[in-house]
């Protein structure tokens, strides 16, 4: 095998957010930045739009930025040719279609197989429908689960990193809501008293770098990521102290949550139902892969100004 230092690692960057995130390029940007900072690999960041601010920032940091589209096989071949390995992200939420996500994931898997890349880290999730025998369907999980399976069916050496809910989701989907009859706020995440895993998406990059540098140790594994397991009440308490507002667990049920009516409410309710079942997320391994990964209180301290609009 050629020296890793002589190879290039492209970041498989769909140009849009991963499941449960509203930030464009959040995962890919984190990984590309961490690879660049680490310096072990040359970095080729792959994005659909090379003019977007995140891509421009990467180019200014002397990373190679190339254009490719997960619907265009020729562009993927051009972007990945000559690479040692890749970090791959697909995006359910762009089209709200599991079938579209699986089609894109299988295409990039086929390209990687044909080009003979040595190692892939894929941002995957469980195939919940298969795992529960059809009792529960979480589309933005299930598609990624099918793509995981496909990578392995065709013989690509792949490690799946399965992310939990981003802490940053508290600024979007799970933003505390003001109660009509008081100055307090409610945190609406239907978990009951079951702890929910969390992670700052910015901490993903060093995790992926650690995996890419140790393929013999992690190849073929599914790695559930988490830096902390907290109940909704604990999230609310830490958030309250951090931003100086009274925030409580709303105690909403999954059944009530899916009736809220916003796009994706039913999908997210099913996600929470799966979280209540306790998917495998390994805090110790996450912190081994990235010892500097933030726990929730540290993330709040660093981001409390973002909650000033409450």
């Amino acid at each position: 095998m050629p020296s890793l230092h002589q190879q290039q690692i492209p970041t498989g960057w769909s140009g849009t957010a991963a499941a449960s995130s509203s930030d464009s390029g959040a995962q890919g940007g984190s990984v590309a930045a961490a690879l660049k900072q680490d310096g072990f690999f040359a970095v080729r960041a792959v994005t659909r739009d090379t003019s977007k601010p995140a891509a421009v920032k990467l180019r200014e940091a002397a990373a190679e930025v190339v254009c490719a589209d997960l619907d265009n096989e020729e562009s993927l071949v051009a972007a990945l040719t000559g690479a040692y390995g890749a970090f791959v992200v697909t995006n359910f939420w762009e089209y709200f279609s599991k079938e579209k996500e699986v089609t894109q994931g299988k295409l990039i898997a086929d390209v990687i197989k044909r080009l003979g890349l040595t190692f892939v880290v894929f941002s995957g999730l469980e195939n919940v429908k298969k795992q529960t025998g059809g009792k529960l369907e979480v589309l933005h999980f299930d598609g990624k689960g099918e793509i995981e399976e496909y990578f392995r069916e065709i013989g690509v050496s792949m490690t799946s990193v399965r992310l939990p809910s981003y802490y940053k989701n508290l600024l979007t989907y799970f933003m505390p809501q003001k109660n009509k009859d008081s100055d307090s706020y409610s945190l609406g995440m239907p978990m009951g008293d079951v702890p929910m895993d969390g992670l700052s998406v910015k901490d993903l990059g060093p995790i992926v770098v650690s995996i890419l540098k140790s393929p013999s140790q992690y190849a073929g594994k599914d790695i559930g990521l988490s830096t902390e397991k907290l109940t909704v009440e604990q999230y609310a308490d830490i958030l309250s102290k951090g931003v100086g507002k009274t925030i409580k667990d709303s105690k909403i049920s999954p059944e009530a949550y899916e009736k809220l009516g916003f796009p994706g409410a039913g999908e997210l309710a099913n996600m929470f139902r799966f979280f209540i079942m306790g998917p495998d997320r390994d805090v110790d391994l996450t912190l081994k892969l990235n010892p500097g990964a933030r726990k929730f209180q540290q993330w709040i301290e660093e981001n409390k100004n973002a909650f000033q609009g409450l």
Side-chain angles (χ1 to χ4, degrees):
M1 185 178 69
S3 167
L4 291 172
H5 290 85
Q6 296 175 348
Q7 305 300 320
Q8 291 182 316
I9 296 289
T11 300
W13 202 6
S14 68
T16 49
S20 305
S21 172
S22 62
D23 293 330
S24 179
Q27 291 191 39
S30 172
V31 172
L35 283 164
K36 193 66 189 174
Q37 182 175 2
D38 180 75
F40 189 79
F41 300 107
V43 185
R44 185 187 304 163
V46 183
T47 178
R48 189 172 52 192
D49 183 0
T50 57
S51 66
K52 64 190 299 183
V56 172
K57 188 175 181 179
L58 280 170
R59 189 179 296 109
E60 291 172 350
E64 181 185 7
V65 181
V66 299
C67 182
D69 193 303
L70 288 176
D71 294 317
N72 187 311
E73 182 175 359
E74 185 177 334
S75 73
L76 291 172
V77 170
L80 294 170
T81 294
Y84 160 80
F87 171 67
V88 176
V89 182
T90 57
N91 181 33
F92 167 85
W93 298 101
E94 182 177 8
Y95 300 99
F96 216 95
S97 168
K98 186 191 84 169
E99 291 72 23
K100 179 74 168 178
E101 181 177 21
V102 171
T103 297
Q104 291 180 332
K106 287 184 174 181
L107 176 59
I108 194 168
D110 287 337
V111 169
I112 286 170
K113 172 70 172 179
R114 189 192 327 157
L115 294 176
L117 272 65
T118 301
F119 189 37
V120 173
V121 178
F122 174 60
S123 179
L125 287 168
E126 292 85 351
N127 186 336
V128 176
K129 185 175 182 179
K130 184 176 182 179
Q131 188 170 309
T132 62
K135 294 179 181 179
L136 186 63
E137 186 174 49
V138 186
L139 297 177
H140 72 281
F141 278 57
D142 295 346
K144 291 177 177 63
E146 289 185 23
I147 296 167
E148 286 181 355
E149 294 162 8
Y150 187 75
F151 267 111
R152 287 166 179 151
E153 286 173 8
I154 65 174
V156 173
S157 180
M158 183 273 290
T159 295
S160 177
V161 288
R162 295 171 170 175
L163 278 72
S165 180
Y166 300 168
Y167 292 144
K168 200 167 186 177
N169 288 343
L170 287 166
L171 292 167
T172 53
Y173 289 108
F174 313 138
M175 173 75 81
Q177 299 298 305
K178 184 114 172 13
N179 294 318
K180 294 180 180 180
D181 56 350
S182 72
D183 291 331
S184 65
Y185 293 77
S186 291
L187 188 57
M189 297 189 292
M191 290 292 296
D193 295 325
V194 177
M196 186 178 79
D197 293 284
L199 177 83
S200 169
V201 69
K202 290 185 178 180
D203 290 328
L204 174 64
I207 291 168
V208 173
V209 172
S210 294
I211 294 170
L212 285 168
K213 290 169 74 172
S214 303
S216 62
Q217 186 173 356
Y218 297 110
K221 294 186 177 181
D222 300 321
I223 300 176
L225 301 178
S226 174
T227 55
E228 198 163 20
K229 300 173 185 286
L230 299 172
T231 64
V232 177
E233 185 176 347
Q234 288 172 318
Y235 278 109
D237 183 58
I238 293 170
L239 187 55
S240 295
K241 293 173 181 175
V243 303
K245 302 286 186 179
T246 301
I247 303 170
K248 301 289 186 181
D249 178 5
S250 71
K251 304 291 186 181
I252 191 170
S253 68
E255 291 71 28
Y257 190 93
E258 66 187 355
K259 294 177 182 177
L260 292 177
F262 65 86
E267 174 71 10
L268 291 177
N270 279 347
M271 177 190 74
F272 283 114
R273 289 184 174 105
F274 181 62
F275 284 166
I276 289 171
M277 294 170 63
D280 183 16
R281 300 291 182 265
D282 192 329
V283 173
D284 290 340
L285 180 54
T286 302
L287 295 177
K288 176 184 176 182
L289 292 165
N290 180 5
R294 301 162 183 82
K295 292 187 179 294
F296 184 58
Q297 184 166 336
Q298 183 182 355
W299 183 86
I300 287 294
E301 291 170 357
E302 295 175 357
N303 292 277
K304 59 185 178 182
N305 289 340
F307 292 89
Q308 286 183 343
L310 287 179

